[in-house]
Amino acid sequence: MSKKKILMLVGDYAEDYETMVPFQALQMIGHWVDAVCPGKTVGDYIQTAIHDFDGAQTYSEKPGHRFTLNADFTAAKEEHYDALLIPGGRAPEYLRLNPEVIALVQAFDAAKKPIAAVCHGPQLLAAAGVLKGRTCSAYPACAPEVRLGGGHYAEIGIDQAHVDGNLVTAPAWPAHPQWLAKFAEVLEQ
């Protein structure tokens, strides 16, 4: 396995497990992960949220952790990284309004570098216009955005993941074992 440098785009109220678990697991297997957030610098933190499936019609939201950033968004350039990772939660909802974030996602896609997105992360992919003609998974409530972005929504189990070329997606954190394993495979191609 070759060591890769991965950029992780996060923001306040990113899903806790979808932020903390990939950040730690990818480092555990030897990769370097830079976690960045627009408007914040190294040493700042984002507030995460825990989304759980506890019997309501949709997920519930509870306070998560303070996740400390280890890199600056202003220094994040596609050419410095081998891959991009986008956690879900509420962060993609407002990160997609930032033109610099959109340009960064588009640059990774144009370079055909691996992109992993989970849960609401594909909202950012749809906003960046990188889903046209591609198939991806997302949290089921994001299926209309995937389709409106020109993509095909993969209806898979909550614990499954989907690969379409350089794009690795999953519906939510229960898919971490498959999602991260498939992302690690794509990183090696």
Side-chain angles (χ1 to χ4, degrees):
M1 177 186 81
S2 59
K3 183 176 180 170
K4 304 291 184 182
K5 192 168 183 187
I6 302 164
L7 180 66
M8 186 165 73
L9 283 172
V10 298
D12 285 317
Y13 300 103
E15 209 292 323
D16 189 85
Y17 299 150
E18 295 167 5
T19 303
M20 308 263 304
V21 172
F23 183 77
Q24 294 170 340
L26 290 165
Q27 290 180 80
M28 179 195 73
I29 61 172
H31 300 302
W32 180 264
V33 183
D34 278 351
V36 300
C37 176
K40 297 189 182 201
T41 60
V42 66
D44 288 346
Y45 68 86
I46 60 160
Q47 179 63 50
T48 67
I50 296 171
H51 296 111
D52 209 353
F53 309 102
D54 48 17
Q57 290 180 317
T58 189
Y59 56 86
S60 63
E61 184 172 86
K62 299 162 183 70
H65 295 90
R66 289 182 174 178
F67 177 77
T68 303
L69 304 171
N70 65 345
D72 292 336
F73 176 79
T74 56
K77 307 285 184 247
E78 167 271 320
E79 57 267 17
H80 299 155
Y81 295 93
D82 300 301
L84 175 66
L85 189 139
I86 305 169
R90 283 193 282 141
E93 174 186 304
Y94 65 86
L95 289 176
R96 64 187 169 169
L97 302 175
N98 184 317
E100 292 173 281
V101 170
I102 295 297
L104 193 55
V105 172
Q106 291 170 335
F108 274 92
D109 187 63
K112 304 286 187 230
K113 292 184 177 179
I115 299 174
V118 65
C119 198
H120 288 72
Q123 287 181 313
L124 193 46
L125 301 177
V130 302
L131 293 180
K132 290 179 181 73
R134 302 183 75 188
T135 300
C136 83
S137 182
Y139 189 70
C142 298
E145 290 173 86
V146 169
R147 292 180 183 118
L148 288 168
H152 307 286
Y153 177 70
E155 292 189 37
I156 59 177
I158 197 95
D159 61 347
Q160 302 296 301
H162 182 79
V163 178
D164 184 340
N166 66 321
L167 188 62
V168 183
T169 55
W173 59 260
H176 276 155
Q178 273 212 17
W179 180 60
L180 292 171
K182 289 180 184 219
F183 184 49
E185 288 173 16
V186 171
L187 284 171
E188 289 303 310
Q189 295 176 356

